[in-house]
Amino acid sequence: MLAPRSDKVRQKYRHKEKITDGLIAKSAENTILILVTSLNIFKIKRIAFAMKKSAMIKMVLLIGGTALAATQAFADQRGAGPSWKVEGDTLRVKRGIEMTWDINIQDVENRGRPQTHGFWYRVNRWTNLGVCYVGNEMFVGTRWKPNEDRANASWRFADGSTLQTELIEETVCSVKRPAIGLDFGTWSNRWKVVGGSGRYKGVTGIAEGSGTFDELWDSIDSESASYTGSYKVQFD
């Protein structure tokens, strides 16, 4: 049988128990604090990752939207392009068998018609393409095609946009007026669209023009004709 503990011994053991309980409680508190801190860090990382992912998604959507808008803008310039009417006079300077003239149409009154600048070079060598008719077949003429024409033109529209073109070919159906020896008839030409600016930046296609002409004079040094007609553009 064990002897009963004295009061001092009992107090000593109780003090040790309190210290032990305090250490256990402190350890538990530290453990909980570590767990809470770890959990908060995990939550912060998840929030940061979510924000980063959201930002990346927004960036991808922004880039994709911009690319789609650019693609759509380019796609909008496919198919039928602008069209307009023309009229005026030409003045062609002769140098032997060669003719040159500036293309310079400044039509500020007609907002749908572009201003036109360019240069045309012609060697008077022609191919006869056979019989043609002018004025609802009232007049019989000859269709001619110049063999060595070279020309380029820049069309500038009212908003500042431009189209750059190079001549592909031209043909004329020419009828001779017996009394004065001057020609009248019809004309048609085709131009290659090689580029542009503004709303036509980067476009390609074909421009076609056609109409009538009436020769005003034909001398050794020059010739002139009035013309009317229209142009239309088809983008690739």
Side-chain angles (χ1 to χ4, degrees):
M1 180 175 178
L2 295 175
R5 297 178 178 176
S6 66
D7 292 337
K8 289 184 178 181
V9 174
R10 290 192 187 96
Q11 290 177 0
K12 183 178 180 180
Y13 276 99
R14 285 175 183 171
H15 179 68
K16 288 183 177 180
E17 287 175 355
K18 287 181 180 180
I19 293 174
T20 303
D21 291 343
L23 291 174
I24 293 173
K26 189 67 175 177
S27 176
E29 183 180 345
N30 290 338
T31 302
I32 292 172
L33 180 61
I34 292 170
L35 290 175
V36 170
T37 303
S38 300
L39 181 60
N40 288 336
I41 293 173
F42 178 72
K43 287 182 177 180
I44 291 171
K45 288 184 176 179
R46 287 191 63 184
I47 292 171
F49 176 75
M51 292 175 66
K52 185 176 181 181
K53 184 177 180 181
S54 176
M56 291 177 64
I57 291 172
K58 288 180 180 179
M59 182 62 71
V60 170
L61 290 176
L62 179 62
I63 294 172
T66 303
L68 181 61
T71 303
Q72 183 63 36
F74 181 77
D76 289 343
Q77 299 304 335
R78 294 181 178 177
S83 60
W84 62 92
K85 295 184 181 299
V86 293
E87 71 268 343
D89 298 335
T90 62
L91 176 59
R92 300 169 180 174
V93 177
K94 297 180 180 180
R95 295 183 179 88
I97 64 170
E98 298 179 357
M99 286 194 302
T100 59
W101 63 96
D102 292 328
I103 305 171
N104 186 16
I105 302 172
Q106 300 285 338
D107 192 350
V108 295
E109 295 181 0
N110 188 331
R111 302 296 292 177
R113 183 183 307 159
Q115 298 178 4
T116 308
H117 302 275
F119 186 78
W120 201 308
Y121 170 82
R122 169 172 291 171
V123 177
N124 276 322
R125 297 189 181 97
W126 299 76
T127 297
N128 186 331
L129 300 179
V131 174
C132 59
Y133 300 91
V134 176
N136 294 325
E137 300 189 358
M138 292 181 62
F139 303 97
V140 179
T142 304
R143 187 172 300 282
W144 298 93
K145 177 182 177 182
N147 294 332
E148 300 180 44
D149 275 23
R150 295 194 297 274
N152 58 73
S154 173
W155 295 325
R156 179 177 293 275
F157 295 85
D159 67 348
S161 298
T162 64
L163 287 174
Q164 308 299 326
T165 63
E166 297 174 353
L167 181 69
I168 298 174
E169 63 178 2
E170 181 181 51
T171 62
V172 296
C173 178
S174 180
V175 179
K176 183 74 69 177
R177 297 184 187 274
I180 57 177
L182 297 176
D183 295 339
F184 71 98
T186 61
W187 59 271
S188 63
N189 53 40
R190 299 175 70 241
W191 300 75
K192 181 180 180 182
V193 178
V194 296
S197 65
R199 71 179 188 271
Y200 300 129
K201 183 178 181 179
V203 300
T204 58
I206 297 294
E208 295 182 330
S210 61
T212 62
F213 74 91
D214 198 343
E215 200 168 40
L216 301 175
W217 79 78
D218 186 359
S219 68
I220 296 176
D221 299 322
S222 65
E223 68 177 35
S224 179
S226 62
Y227 64 89
T228 61
S230 62
Y231 275 92
K232 61 181 180 180
V233 179
Q234 187 78 14
F235 295 123
D236 295 335

